[in-house]
Amino acid sequence: MSEQIKVPTMAEYAAQGKQPEVLFFVGCAGSFDDRAKKITKAFVKLLNKANIDFAVLGTEEGCNGDPAKRAGNEFLFQMQAMTNIEVLNGYGVKKIVTTCPHCFNTLKNEYPELGGNYEVMHHTQFLKSLLKEGRLKVEGGKFKGKKITFHDPCYLGRANNEYEAPRELLEKLEMELVEMKRNKKRGMCCGAGGAQMFKEPEAGDKDVNVLRTEQALETSSEIIATGCPFCMVMMTDGVKAKNAEDSVQVMDVAEMIASAEDL
């Protein structure tokens, strides 16, 4: 029997004539990928712990359209985006939080020209704001003093200049943050961006994700932290390729906070 997690839908809120504080846009990875589902659950537990009034679209949520757009199918992207915008605007959504930088970037920067104007936050930004407001407390717990490195997701970092929120959360866990040689603005892609996630690597000397994982392993960290389900897949595969699963874990920042809190 799995534990029950409380996740209301926008339709349920609308039926009661109520509006949640924030809409959690789960995204395709967070809904269907087994590894990313764990990030979704961890984030929902944190939202519940902080008593946040939130809802999801559930079956009314469609792909944000990022993979189609990056792969060059602008027509499909606009169809997917317009469908979501109609639903979001129909519910009068103002504020959106998502655990996926691809959803974050697309909803924030590409939906406005199609009529979708929302305040969009990445989950690390939202958690940081909850800490500031005192609605969520974070302490080191089981991670205290552990060595960690943070891999910047491209769509959060270089595309949207957000480098501090995830790092501030990791510092709250009282971990020793060791930066990779290539970090922040000079950070390197995990290899999945631009719809590369869905195709085989092209001929070359080394897969991008293996190269990035080597850079992470150089820091001698016990945990590679990230804030993106795509990066999660690529870095986990990289760790497996280097046969380092026994010594290194790949975790999302939300998972780390939730597990430090034993949620």
Side-chain angles (χ1 to χ4, degrees):
M1 174 73 186
S2 68
E3 58 192 314
Q4 289 299 307
I5 303 179
K6 193 175 81 209
V7 185
T9 63
M10 283 302 288
E12 288 165 17
Y13 266 89
Q16 297 167 13
K18 292 198 310 211
Q19 188 76 357
E21 178 184 343
V22 65
L23 169 82
F24 173 24
F25 194 92
V26 183
C28 301
S31 302
F32 301 115
D33 179 79
D34 283 344
R35 181 64 188 85
K37 284 180 199 172
K38 293 178 180 172
I39 303 171
T40 305
K41 285 180 183 165
F43 184 56
V44 165
K45 285 175 181 174
L46 292 172
L47 291 174
N48 283 333
K49 181 167 196 276
N51 289 321
I52 303 300
D53 214 7
F54 78 99
V56 298
L57 288 173
T59 53
E60 293 185 274
E61 180 186 300
C63 177
N64 68 74
D66 166 77
K69 188 179 181 78
R70 303 293 165 234
N73 194 337
E74 181 65 24
F75 177 67
L76 177 58
F77 161 70
Q78 292 202 11
M79 273 172 47
Q80 291 178 315
M82 296 299 287
T83 307
N84 279 329
I85 289 168
E86 270 181 38
V87 173
L88 292 165
N89 290 353
Y91 282 124
V93 170
K94 302 277 187 289
K95 187 172 181 178
I96 300 175
V97 64
T98 176
T99 52
C100 173
H102 296 250
C103 296
F104 166 69
N105 181 63
T106 306
L107 296 168
K108 178 174 184 276
N109 299 321
E110 281 154 7
Y111 274 28
E113 63 184 7
L114 297 170
N117 293 287
Y118 320 103
E119 180 193 350
V120 188
M121 296 178 87
H122 183 252
H123 68 304
T124 56
Q125 296 175 324
F126 191 67
L127 291 171
K128 178 185 155 183
S129 73
L130 295 183
L131 279 178
K132 273 216 163 82
E133 293 162 20
R135 296 166 79 178
L136 189 67
K137 283 193 171 51
V138 176
E139 280 154 22
K142 63 179 79 166
F143 296 114
K144 197 169 181 170
K146 282 197 172 176
K147 252 191 185 179
I148 182 173
T149 193
F150 181 71
H151 164 74
D152 288 287
C154 293
Y155 282 76
L156 183 64
R158 291 184 299 179
N160 287 287
N161 276 320
E162 179 58 81
Y163 300 107
E164 296 317 314
R167 286 175 173 80
E168 279 183 36
L169 292 169
L170 293 171
E171 278 165 19
K172 286 275 188 292
L173 290 169
E174 300 170 59
M175 311 191 76
E176 185 192 342
L177 181 61
V178 188
E179 294 287 4
M180 287 182 245
K181 285 198 183 83
R182 293 189 59 172
N183 65 69
K184 298 187 180 174
K185 275 198 168 56
R186 292 188 59 254
M188 196 175 113
C189 180
C190 69
Q196 297 293 316
M197 179 80 177
F198 306 105
K199 57 184 271 299
E200 289 304 312
E202 286 158 36
D205 300 331
K206 188 179 286 185
D207 288 354
V208 175
N209 65 317
V210 174
L211 180 59
R212 185 57 171 161
T213 303
E214 285 172 359
Q215 294 168 6
L217 295 177
E218 272 175 21
T219 65
S220 307
S221 297
E222 295 170 67
I223 297 171
I224 301 170
T226 188
C228 171
F230 288 76
C231 298
M232 173 65 74
V233 170
M234 300 309 266
M235 299 307 282
T236 303
D237 284 355
V239 168
K240 283 178 186 160
K242 302 302 289 182
N243 292 317
E245 301 113 296
D246 293 341
S247 52
V248 183
Q249 274 182 292
V250 185
M251 292 184 81
D252 186 272
V253 176
E255 292 181 297
M256 295 177 66
I257 297 171
S259 92
E261 296 284 327
D262 280 330
L263 293 181

